[in-house]
Structures are given as structure tokens and as C-alpha cells.
Amino acid sequence: MDLSIVIPLLNEEESLPELSAWIEKVMQENDFTYEIIFADDGSTDDSWQVITQLRAKNKNVKGIKFQRNYGKSAALNEAFKAAQGDVVITMDADLQDSPNEIPELYKMIAADKYDLVSGWKKKRYDNKLTKNLPSKFFNGVTRKVSKIKLHDFNCGLKAYNKKVVKSIEVYGEMHRYIPVLAKWSGFKKIGEKVVEHRKRKYGITKFGWNRFINGFLDLMSITFVGKFSKRPMHFFGVWGILFFAIGMLTSLYLIVSKIIDFDYGITNRPTFYISLTAIIIGMQLFLAGYIGELISRNAPGRNFYLIEEKAGIN
Ligand code: UDP
Ligand code: MG
């Protein structure tokens, strides 16, 4: 199978027939063998009925429905597990992404051997103040932190080599940072393509203000997990030792002062409080690192390494 088109959706009943007809048209024009996987993220409208009707007409249409709303990342994750195509393409269900981009994206993965190609909504039809500006900021920060040169990390339209979607786990709200997840898994050839973006035709946006906070926390945890999840002590231990040392040195200073001059009052000095807090913080950090180590040692999948190739070994 050439292509899996993965579409996460939440309450998008009006868009689905149009979207699926458009995709089918593009698939036929290009002679692709394909599947469309609708991942219904707990819709409360008639989205799922629409999906089953579409499937009755076209067996290439498939669907997964969550019992409740788990989020776009969860929907993508489940659909990725099910995908069979050599190239996997994700797109939003709201007709903001154009299926006409699919053939070129397919070519970039299949022929140009990209691992991942992210769409870039260069000209964007969303609210300027609440979407476009914050997203510029986020993209800038993510670019700095991840060192991946993309303009639009969170574009719903992306193409993947099948290997990529089978080796990453998209959880929390990590769908914003899939290129970063892919990079941490060792996929290096990450590119982008300017894609057409359209106004939302039906329904409303499903992401509110809290996406900024969540998005930022996710960026922190993703960098952190990527760097230190297998060795938490390397982070917490270093800071723990540093703080502990500061605490010890300052208290040593206080003790020596007291010995030299018996009238030297210890507890009314700032140094005393610095020393006290530094020791406590140091211990806390060290303990956090130690507990982190214990957890990562016993975590399932701790010996899960992605193997690219083998020679002479089964
Ligand atoms: N979506 C989803 N689960 C959610 C929120 C959104 O599956 O909890 C889907 C939504 O139906 C759409 C895509 O994710 O297909 C992008 O969402 P939306 O268009 O609301 O985001 P925006 O384009 O406004 O950033
Ligand atoms: Mg949208």
C-alpha cells in the first residue's frame, strides 16, 4: 500500500464527506493504493455515523473511535499504530489542509527519501492575534531548543516514512512537536514544504487559550525527556551537588567565624539562611535524581533502542 491518510477529528461531521471525496479523487488521479484512517477523538456529533457511511461506500475508508475525547496526540498515536501505507500523511479534518498537496508530499518521502516532511502554512488563514503571532513565537523557541530548521512545527499536514510513525509515541499534547520526537528517535532527514492553507469551512477551532501553557510545558518536558530520561541523575545530581556544596561551604564559614569570635551571632545573618536553604535544595535535587534513576531503571522498555540495520545478526 502506497499511502495511509491519517485524519484526527473531533466533531467535524460537516467536513468529512467533502474531505473524503476530495482525497479519493486525488488518489484515483494518481493511481495510489491507499487507506484513509479517521481517528474519531470522542466526537459527540454524528461524525462516527458519517465515517461508517463513508466506509459502506469505499472500503479504503477506515475508522477508530475513542470512547471519550483524549486529544489530537492520542488520536494520531492510535492511527499510527494501525497505518499500513509506506508513506503516512496526516491532515486535519476541517478542510484547512488541501489534499492536493498529497502527491508532492508522497514524492518527497518515497523518492527524495525524507523521513519526515512538515507542511508550512506560509500564508495562514487563522485569527492573527490569537493564532498567528503566538505560533510564530512558539516556532521560534522550538527551533532554538530542538535545532530543527522548521517554520511551522504544529502544521497538521505532514508526511512520514512509515518507519517514523512506528517508532515514535505521541502522547500528552506532543502532536505539536512530532518533528522533535522524530529527531530524538534518530531520524535526521526532516524537511518542509510550503502548503496551501484555507479558512475553516465548517465548525469551530478545538483548541483554546490553554494550548499555549500546555504547549510550553510540553516543550520543556520533551527536551528534558529527550535529554535526560535515561539518566536523570546527570541533571539532578549535578545541581544537587552544586547546591549542597554551596550550603556546606557557607555553613563552614559560619562555624569558623563562630570559633574565631564567640560573640558572632549565626542565626541573624543572611548567610545562615542561604546555607540552610542551599543544603535542603541540594538534598531535594539529589533525591529527585536518585528516585528518577530508580524509576528509569525499572521502567518498561528501558532497553528499547531503535535498530536501523543489522549485518549477520537475526
Ligand atoms: N482535534 C482532535 N482532538 C482534539 C482537538 C482537535 O482530533 O481534542 C482535531 C480537529 O478535529 C481537527 C484537528 O485536530 O481535525 C485540528 O484542530 P483545529 O482545526 O480545531 O485546530 P486549529 O486548526 O484551529 O489549530
Ligand atoms: Mg483547523
Side-chain angles (χ1 to χ4, degrees):
M1 187 187 290
D2 299 327
L3 271 164
S4 294
I5 316 288
V6 164
I7 303 171
L9 63 116
L10 175 64
N11 299 334
E12 310 276 8
E13 56 181 5
E14 303 102 323
S15 318
L16 300 179
E18 207 172 314
L19 179 64
S20 111
W22 190 357
I23 295 174
E24 282 163 31
K25 185 174 142 265
V26 173
M27 294 298 116
Q28 274 152 20
E29 283 168 5
N30 291 275
D31 268 332
F32 284 131
T33 49
Y34 72 102
E35 63 182 351
I36 303 176
I37 303 180
F38 285 110
D40 183 340
D41 185 12
S43 294
T44 48
D45 66 356
D46 284 337
S47 293
W48 183 250
Q49 282 85 317
V50 174
I51 292 166
T52 49
Q53 282 159 20
L54 292 170
R55 173 159 173 81
K57 280 183 267 162
N58 177 356
K59 285 291 169 233
N60 295 327
V61 173
K62 301 168 185 177
I64 306 170
K65 179 173 165 59
F66 283 161
Q67 184 102 3
R68 65 167 177 86
N69 176 235
Y70 285 101
K72 190 177 178 183
S73 295
L76 287 173
N77 200 53
E78 287 313 300
F80 282 167
K81 283 195 219 158
Q84 295 170 43
D86 297 332
V87 173
V88 177
I89 293 194
T90 61
M91 59 196 302
D92 288 353
D94 54 4
L95 292 163
Q96 288 195 276
D97 302 323
S98 161
N100 292 344
E101 307 281 356
I102 295 174
E104 180 61 26
L105 286 170
Y106 175 81
K107 194 194 128 253
M108 287 177 80
I109 303 285
D112 306 342
K113 301 289 173 214
Y114 277 95
D115 293 316
L116 188 166
V117 177
S118 179
W120 173 13
K121 307 180 287 267
K122 199 167 180 180
K123 184 144 178 39
R124 198 172 165 180
Y125 295 92
D126 278 318
N127 186 306
K128 283 228 159 36
L129 203 65
T130 61
K131 282 241 155 106
N132 299 5
L133 272 176
S135 123
K136 275 218 164 71
F137 171 75
F138 266 97
N139 281 308
V141 175
T142 312
R143 237 186 340 260
K144 270 257 156 8
V145 171
S146 68
K147 305 202 169 62
I148 303 172
K149 304 254 166 312
L150 290 182
H151 290 88
D152 190 3
F153 281 85
N154 189 20
C155 185
L157 183 55
K158 285 192 173 64
Y160 306 85
N161 184 315
K162 184 191 201 169
K163 272 201 292 192
V164 178
V165 304
K166 298 294 180 191
S167 40
I168 57 176
E169 198 171 341
V170 195
Y171 63 98
E173 305 256 300
M174 293 301 180
H175 60 267
R176 297 194 180 81
Y177 303 112
I178 297 182
V180 186
L181 291 174
K183 190 184 166 187
W184 284 121
S185 295
F187 296 101
K188 290 172 212 84
K189 204 160 175 210
I190 297 174
E192 73 183 341
K193 175 185 186 303
V194 175
V195 293
E196 183 197 345
H197 187 241
R198 297 140 44 91
K199 264 211 161 61
R200 202 180 228 286
K201 195 162 170 189
Y202 308 101
I204 50 160
T205 176
K206 307 298 186 303
F207 292 105
W209 273 99
N210 59 1
R211 76 203 149 96
F212 299 129
I213 302 159
N214 295 345
F216 190 67
L217 289 175
D218 281 340
L219 180 61
M220 295 201 339
S221 50
I222 204 171
T223 16
F224 207 75
V225 167
K227 268 206 173 100
F228 294 110
S229 71
K230 297 248 182 283
R231 46 191 183 95
M233 201 56 161
H234 287 197
F235 177 82
F236 290 106
V238 168
W239 287 100
I241 287 170
L242 195 75
F243 271 93
F244 197 76
I246 292 171
M248 278 320 210
L249 287 176
T250 42
S251 57
L252 203 68
Y253 167 81
L254 290 170
I255 291 167
V256 171
S257 307
K258 186 77 181 173
I259 290 170
I260 294 170
D261 168 16
F262 189 74
D263 290 332
Y264 185 86
I266 287 183
T267 52
N268 56 4
R269 260 157 230 285
T271 326
F272 175 72
Y273 296 97
I274 292 172
S275 152
L276 210 62
T277 15
I279 289 177
I280 293 171
I281 292 175
M283 295 284 280
Q284 297 266 14
L285 285 169
F286 204 82
L287 267 176
Y290 180 65
I291 292 170
E293 283 292 328
L294 288 184
I295 292 172
S296 86
R297 233 157 260 272
N298 295 307
R302 77 191 151 98
N303 289 331
F304 181 72
Y305 308 113
L306 294 166
I307 291 164
E308 189 172 356
E309 274 172 83
K310 286 179 179 175
I313 289 167
N314 292 324

